[in-house]
Amino acid sequence: CGGSVSDSSGVLQSPNYPGSYPNDADCVWEIQVENNFRVTLTFRDIAMQSGTCQNDYIEVYDGPLHSSPLLGRFCSGSFPTYVSSSNMMSVRFHSDSRYSFRGFQAHYSSIPAGHNTTIQCLPDFMHVVVSRDYLQSQGYSAQRVTLDDSRCRPTVTSQEVVFNIPYDGCGTIQEENNDTINYSNTIRVASSGYIIKRKKNINLHVSCKMLRKSWQQVMYAAEDTVDVNESQFGRYDMNITFYNSPAFQQQVRSSPYYIDLNQNLYLQACLHNSDPNLKVVVDTCVASPDSHDFNTLAYYLVRNGCPRDSSYATYYSPSSHFARFKFNAFEFMSRHPSVYLKCQMLVCRLGDYSSHCYQGCSTRAKRDISSAEEKVEVVVGPLQLREGAAPSGNTR
């Protein structure tokens, strides 16, 4: 149950609804709609163990689960409606080991956030547009719209004031929490009066919250890239590419990528971002013959930073934006015609030794890894054994 939801509208409901939900369920849905839209969520049916809502309950958060305000927690009563302040909302359903009921059903949709100011979280900067009609309606001049850093000037058109604010300059403030790395700045609109001010100055606080965990799912990767979601919540732009040697000089561009059993495979994950103070590491890589199922037949090369396959190893990288690693074409390949690889990457602040990127091999509890954290999944491939390759050797 739970998962990432990106459609403009849809339905959420407890497991088995309208049948009884299971005991000991803990489901988290993360709803992320388009740029400059908000999420409105309305509950249509609630049938749960009532009372103090300590045993079975629903929680609604104004953004990612671990770092956003709680909008409401309930288990019975009237059918509430919630509206997010950004383009993201999280819903958590929890049940204990005792009683079971019908559960809940809720409908969500996206609504425009208003067009006075829009923001897009692009790979290298925040793209912010302020409407000149809005400024004029409030009695302000487009020429009075600035950042604190006067060197960073906007582009003023007949209809808009446009800022491209870099993540590592123009006074942008960077902060890290459990779910996101946040970049924020303030656009100031000053009153034109010098002696007597009849209007208050306006501060437009803009921020991009980049989700820290992203999944890359690869088998063969020839410059395939996960696009950044252009929204108030964005994803880091990352790709994974195979190389033909540990020198990491020549990319593998053939498709499909045919390999020999026991062949060493060399991969490089690359973070595309203008912020130099970021570090990327490989957290988890799991192989499966099914590109849609990494649970039934799963083979872990590395999990939560802990190598599971004896052939897995990392390499020195010339940049903190690169993560280089290798593994051997293991016995798993001889039993399946195609194998897919899904890798989860972590992005942290460079030099933050308390972050997950510097912890190395750790238990899940210590790393505070939650399945509710946002994932970006991309499937390319497959990786296949070269015709006539002998399934021999002692690799795992």
Side-chain angles (χ1 to χ4, degrees):
C1 61
S4 299
V5 180
S6 58
D7 295 332
S8 60
S9 62
V11 177
L12 305 183
Q13 56 192 29
S14 51
N16 303 329
Y17 180 90
S20 297
Y21 52 77
N23 293 327
D24 300 315
D26 199 61
C27 314
V28 177
W29 293 266
E30 286 194 339
I31 308 169
Q32 184 174 348
V33 297
E34 288 185 42
N35 174 42
N36 297 306
F37 279 73
R38 296 180 181 178
V39 182
T40 177
L41 179 73
T42 301
F43 286 83
R44 304 290 181 85
D45 185 21
I46 304 173
M48 302 170 61
Q49 183 178 358
S50 59
T52 59
C53 299
Q54 295 300 311
N55 302 310
D56 298 357
Y57 54 83
I58 302 166
E59 293 177 328
V60 180
Y61 290 86
D62 191 15
L65 178 70
H66 298 292
S67 56
S68 302
L70 178 67
L71 296 178
R73 176 174 174 157
F74 53 92
C75 56
S76 61
S78 59
F79 300 157
T81 294
Y82 297 97
V83 179
S84 65
S85 62
S86 70
N87 65 318
M88 195 170 189
M89 177 186 286
S90 296
V91 180
R92 181 188 182 196
F93 168 72
H94 176 83
S95 66
D96 67 2
S97 59
R98 300 185 66 188
Y99 306 108
S100 185
F101 297 85
R102 186 171 67 248
F104 78 91
Q105 184 182 75
H107 290 233
Y108 79 89
S109 60
S110 57
I111 57 174
H115 301 291
N116 294 334
T117 303
T118 60
I119 178 172
Q120 293 177 298
C121 302
L122 299 176
D124 295 326
F125 55 84
M126 291 183 279
H127 180 71
V128 184
V129 178
V130 183
S131 165
R132 289 193 67 173
D133 287 343
Y134 164 70
L135 293 172
Q136 292 169 2
S137 70
Q138 301 298 311
Y140 294 94
S141 166
Q143 307 305 322
R144 309 280 301 172
V145 182
T146 63
L147 293 174
D148 284 339
D149 189 335
S150 59
R151 295 170 297 177
C152 301
R153 302 294 303 169
T155 299
V156 180
T157 70
S158 60
Q159 296 181 320
E160 300 169 334
V161 180
V162 182
F163 285 92
N164 290 328
I165 307 172
Y167 295 130
D168 61 339
C170 292
T172 298
I173 297 172
Q174 304 164 3
E175 297 177 316
E176 182 175 3
N177 61 33
N178 287 342
D179 293 297
T180 58
I181 295 178
N182 302 337
Y183 302 89
S184 60
N185 210 313
T186 302
I187 297 173
R188 306 191 185 279
V189 187
S191 170
S192 58
Y194 293 97
I195 306 300
I196 301 175
K197 287 193 174 183
R198 302 188 183 276
K199 293 182 178 292
K200 295 181 178 179
N201 296 336
I202 297 177
N203 292 334
L204 300 174
H205 299 282
V206 295
S207 65
C208 280
K209 301 180 179 181
M210 307 300 286
L211 295 154
R212 290 184 58 236
K213 293 184 69 176
S214 62
W215 279 98
Q216 292 286 315
Q217 198 162 297
V218 300
M219 244 341 163
Y220 146 84
E223 301 182 322
D224 290 275
T225 303
V226 176
D227 292 328
V228 170
N229 280 359
E230 297 181 352
S231 56
Q232 293 93 335
F233 281 93
R235 295 185 175 93
Y236 283 111
D237 184 2
M238 188 110 58
N239 73 348
I240 297 179
T241 306
F242 281 97
Y243 282 78
N244 66 353
S245 77
F248 292 94
Q249 293 180 346
Q250 185 174 349
Q251 295 182 6
V252 174
R253 299 183 183 275
S254 58
S255 176
Y257 182 19
Y258 290 101
I259 64 170
D260 297 314
L261 199 62
N262 299 329
Q263 177 181 337
N264 281 326
L265 305 179
Y266 305 95
L267 301 93
Q268 176 176 274
C270 179
L271 172 66
H272 301 280
N273 192 275
S274 63
D275 185 352
N277 297 310
L278 294 177
K279 178 179 177 64
V280 60
V281 299
V282 182
D283 182 74
T284 298
C285 279
V286 56
S288 170
D290 186 342
S291 62
H292 302 290
D293 181 1
F294 284 85
N295 296 308
T296 306
L297 290 174
Y299 183 93
Y300 282 90
L301 296 167
V302 57
R303 190 172 190 177
N304 300 328
C306 303
R308 294 294 186 89
D309 183 277
S310 60
S311 71
Y312 176 85
T314 59
Y315 287 89
Y316 167 79
S317 297
S319 166
S320 62
H321 285 201
F322 295 157
R324 292 175 170 178
F325 59 103
K326 69 100 176 178
F327 65 92
N328 196 274
F330 38 87
E331 190 74 23
F332 197 83
M333 281 294 302
S334 68
R335 302 194 298 271
H336 305 282
S338 302
V339 174
Y340 295 82
L341 183 70
K342 182 170 75 168
C343 290
Q344 184 184 67
M345 315 304 297
L346 288 179
V347 180
C348 305
R349 302 298 303 160
L350 186 64
D352 180 4
Y353 295 99
S354 65
S355 70
H356 298 162
C357 289
Y358 290 91
Q359 288 181 5
C361 178
S362 246
T363 64
R364 180 173 292 273
K366 288 181 181 179
R367 292 172 66 82
D368 190 27
I369 299 297
S370 168
S371 61
E373 290 187 81
E374 184 72 15
K375 299 180 285 291
V376 179
E377 296 183 358
V378 175
V379 181
V380 291
L383 187 66
Q384 299 178 349
L385 277 178
R386 194 187 313 276
E387 185 175 356
S392 61
N394 298 319
T395 53
R396 296 168 54 198

